[in-house]
């Protein structure tokens, strides 16, 4: 793929509730799509427990290996929200009550409602830049190449859209998908030949069982629209040669 | 939490389609729930690209740090299915056509349909034990403490249930959830006190916005039912003291 020039990113999903299966993460899929559009290669994700040492180690690993790191979860007012302190520790900086964050939250909450527990959310690592929260007041923050978001998807996503101009991407990743009724085993050999012929387009083959009917999505990814177009034609031809059908994506 | 005796597990989700956001993973939530029931502590998950070096490195890291490792994705017949070869490489063993796997697939496919591409799915690392696939024939495998599954959730989950007796767990993790209309900032301080009083129960606080109505799920986790019962009473009392309501989980 010709995306080796694009900046890379990793996502760190912080929260026992994801690992226990109680909550199904929705932020990774959102960030994956947005990174594609922004020309950032989302290369890696980790789901980790609410554990200070693990957060510190994971943040330090990821910020050294990827251009951008997005964390989700653990920045609320309760005892299990330990992400802010752990990220500060990872960078070797202190956490301080941030006057700008206090002012934002003071405006958000009704008089008398901004208690000490909520003010904990205004404790921000020294040197960090705030990420505005248009939904529920309490900000996230950026420290170096690490962007710290809450876990609630609607809030996380609104905050991401508000800071997205800070990210410098490359060429957007384009994706085109063709759905067929053929089984993978029927076209695998020919598809390998197509992939070899067009090395600058990444071709993925994903079987899907929908309402008992098997099908396969063939997904082409590249930053070059004309390269995808060529592969698309080659795959369409391959499916016809094998007497297969091209299905509507919703079939 | 009193689960330090329980064996640990990590999940490796292999596939560009998860990182691109095209496919939303469903296997982690399944494995998280099942591990809780089995008394296995699912501690860590990684989502990685279809890249041989990355798979090798991730498998070797995880199998050294966790009792059980479950991988999903990348064991089909197409060119982008490279998990089997990479896992073999991680263990320093060869991949060989496995006669037992060939026999299984020969039974599954109609005469003449078991072509070379499909037979690729009978290439299994030397020394591995097959994991039966009751849905679509082609087996997964176990090598050391690593269990290799396909990515399609219905198949992955059926295969897991077929081999689950091989896993040795500890005490099942019990979870009880209380939903309240109170905001986190209102009860955070008192909840911290409850957590300090009952250190052997892990208490998580998860704000949820459903149909515009905010609420919080307070989730208690422990292997001891009576310990959870005590915390449940303390949290119920805390909510009443604060003039809050306990909501139906579906409210």
């Amino acid at each position: 793929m010709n995306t080796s020039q694009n900046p890379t990113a990793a996502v760190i999903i912080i929260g026992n509730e994801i690992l226990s299966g109680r909550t199904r993460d929705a932020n990774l899929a959102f960030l994956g799509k947005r990174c594609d559009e922004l020309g950032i290669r989302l290369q890696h994700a980790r789901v980790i427990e609410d554990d200070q040492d693990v957060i510190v180690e994971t943040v330090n690993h990821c910020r050294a290996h990827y251009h951008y790191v997005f964390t989700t979860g653990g920045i609320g007012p309760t005892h299990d929200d330990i992400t802010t302190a752990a990220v500060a520790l990872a960078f070797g900086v202190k956490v301080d009550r941030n006057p700008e964050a206090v002012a934002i939250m003071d405006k958000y909450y009704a008089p008398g409602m901004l208690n000490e527990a909520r003010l904990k959310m205004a404790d921000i690592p020294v040197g960090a830049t705030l990420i505005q929260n248009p939904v529920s007041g309490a900000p996230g923050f950026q420290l170096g190449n690490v962007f710290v978001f809450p876990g609630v998807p609607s809030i996380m996503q609104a905050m991401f859209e508000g800071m997205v101009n800070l990210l410098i991407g490359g060429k957007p990743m384009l994706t085109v998908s063709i759905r067929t009724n053929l089984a993978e085993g029927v076209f695998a050999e020919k598809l390998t030949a197509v992939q070899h012929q067009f090395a600058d387009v990444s071709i993925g083959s994903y079987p899907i069982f929908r309402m008992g009917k098997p099908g396969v999505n063939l997904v082409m990814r590249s930053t070059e629209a004309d390269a995808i177009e060529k592969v698309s034609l080659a795959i369409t031809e391959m499916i016809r040669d094998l007497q297969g059908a091209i299905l509507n994506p919703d079939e």
Side-chain angles (χ1 to χ4, degrees), chain A residues 74-179:
Chain A
I75 62 167
T78 53
H79 66 279
D80 55 338
D81 291 307
I82 62 172
T83 297
T84 300
V87 171
L89 204 59
F91 278 83
V93 301
K94 290 200 170 165
V95 168
D96 236 353
R97 188 136 303 172
N98 184 297
E100 192 190 341
V102 173
I104 289 169
M105 293 174 63
D106 198 44
K107 235 185 252 177
Y108 178 80
Y109 285 102
M113 298 301 282
L114 185 52
N115 60 16
E116 186 53 35
R118 285 176 168 142
L119 278 168
K120 185 188 146 198
M121 295 190 282
D123 291 344
I124 304 286
V126 173
T129 308
L130 299 186
I131 299 176
Q132 302 298 322
N133 173 349
V135 181
S136 58
F141 62 87
Q142 171 193 0
L143 189 54
N145 59 343
V146 179
F147 297 77
V148 176
F149 294 97
V152 178
S154 57
I155 305 177
M156 188 272 147
Q157 293 169 16
M159 288 170 70
F160 184 86
E161 297 305 349
M163 56 63 72
V164 77
N165 289 340
L166 297 175
L167 305 174
I168 298 166
K171 283 193 174 184
M173 175 64 76
L174 308 172
T175 297
V176 171
S177 182
I178 295 179
R179 189 166 164 78

Side-chain angles (χ1 to χ4, degrees), chain A residues 180-193 205 207 214 216 218 238-245:
Chain A
T180 177
N181 64 336
L182 291 174
E184 282 191 308
V186 170
F187 62 70
E189 204 180 320
K190 284 182 194 291
L191 188 67
T192 304
S205 173
V216 177
L218 292 164
M238 176 193 86
I239 293 171
R240 293 212 175 118
D241 282 354
L242 293 165
Q243 260 95 63

